[in-house]
Amino acid sequence: MQQKPTVLSREIVASSRLFRVEEVQLRFSNGVERTYERLVGSGSGYGAVMIVAMLDADHAVLVEEYCGGTDQYELSLPKGLIEPGEDVLAAANRELKEEAGYGARTLVHLTELSLSPGYMSQKIQVVLATDLYEETLPGDEPEPMRVDKVNLRELSSLVQNPQFTEGRALAALYLARDLLAERGDFLP
């Protein structure tokens, strides 16, 4: 494993309600110096969750919401921020109720994923939710989210849908599908 670069300096060079841009001056082990910029969270630091919620043995819940980054309505998995004092599984169940109108009797933490580690510090906790029941909680979304579903047997065709572009969501669906297949809960 390579030696991490030496941090020569750090400075917040821009900030907004959601993000701060940090400039980091680094010196690598071979003496080369570089300036990196990265997005860091606004400081809340509690993290986020993404939920693969299984309606049945084959189908996972998708939600459609407006995404400011792409200026499009996108399909993805339910997700959201972890609130202060909330654990990952409780946050996943709350977000599932707020965004999709389901709660889960069984929740399992699958993994942690990053979006773009070269430029962002944010990570998201992926949770598998099974044994769903209908329950809705009010959320912070500006409009109701349309709920859809995807068959885990058809993930390769999901990427052909122009409304589904989030790589983390696709990775989470494949991870959940493989875990369910290993457990014998899903037959590919």
Side-chain angles (χ1 to χ4, degrees):
M1 179 177 290
Q2 295 213 33
Q3 178 183 342
K4 285 175 54 174
T6 302
V7 176
L8 303 174
S9 67
R10 295 177 186 267
E11 179 184 359
I12 301 298
V13 295
S15 62
S16 75
R17 181 178 59 84
L18 296 176
F19 300 104
R20 294 177 294 156
V21 178
E22 182 181 52
E23 183 179 271
V24 183
Q25 301 288 334
L26 300 172
R27 180 180 298 125
F28 289 81
S29 60
N30 63 359
V32 173
E33 293 185 12
R34 284 283 177 347
T35 302
Y36 279 57
E37 289 183 348
R38 67 185 195 134
L39 287 177
V40 292
S42 62
S44 64
Y46 301 108
V49 293
M50 174 178 279
I51 307 98
V52 180
M54 298 302 299
L55 289 166
D56 56 39
D58 295 332
H59 296 91
V61 172
L62 295 177
V63 292
E64 179 187 61
E65 69 178 317
Y66 176 77
C67 297
T70 59
D71 189 27
Q72 303 278 348
Y73 279 89
E74 302 260 350
L75 285 170
S76 190
L77 296 171
K79 60 186 164 300
L81 296 176
I82 299 170
E83 294 179 355
E86 193 175 40
D87 75 17
V88 169
L89 299 181
N93 213 19
R94 177 186 49 76
E95 286 292 341
L96 183 59
K97 292 173 185 178
E98 290 177 2
E99 295 191 358
Y102 291 100
R105 291 181 185 88
T106 305
L107 296 137
V108 177
H109 181 260
L110 295 181
T111 194
E112 178 180 80
L113 296 174
S114 63
L115 177 61
S116 182
Y119 299 98
M120 299 174 143
S121 62
Q122 291 84 8
K123 296 184 178 181
I124 198 161
Q125 306 303 315
V126 179
V127 174
L128 175 64
T130 56
D131 196 10
L132 302 185
Y133 56 92
E134 290 186 18
E135 184 177 340
T136 301
L137 287 177
D140 59 359
E141 291 73 25
E143 61 186 358
M145 299 173 103
R146 183 175 69 83
V147 178
D148 204 341
K149 63 183 177 181
V150 62
N151 189 321
L152 294 185
R153 299 175 199 280
E154 299 170 359
L155 293 181
S156 60
S157 65
L158 180 61
V159 297
Q160 304 305 316
N161 184 331
Q163 271 195 290
F164 186 87
T165 64
E166 188 173 7
R168 296 178 306 176
L170 185 62
L173 286 165
Y174 274 107
L175 287 168
R177 184 193 69 182
D178 289 354
L179 174 67
L180 292 169
E182 286 174 16
R183 291 188 342 195
D185 296 338
F186 172 77
L187 299 174

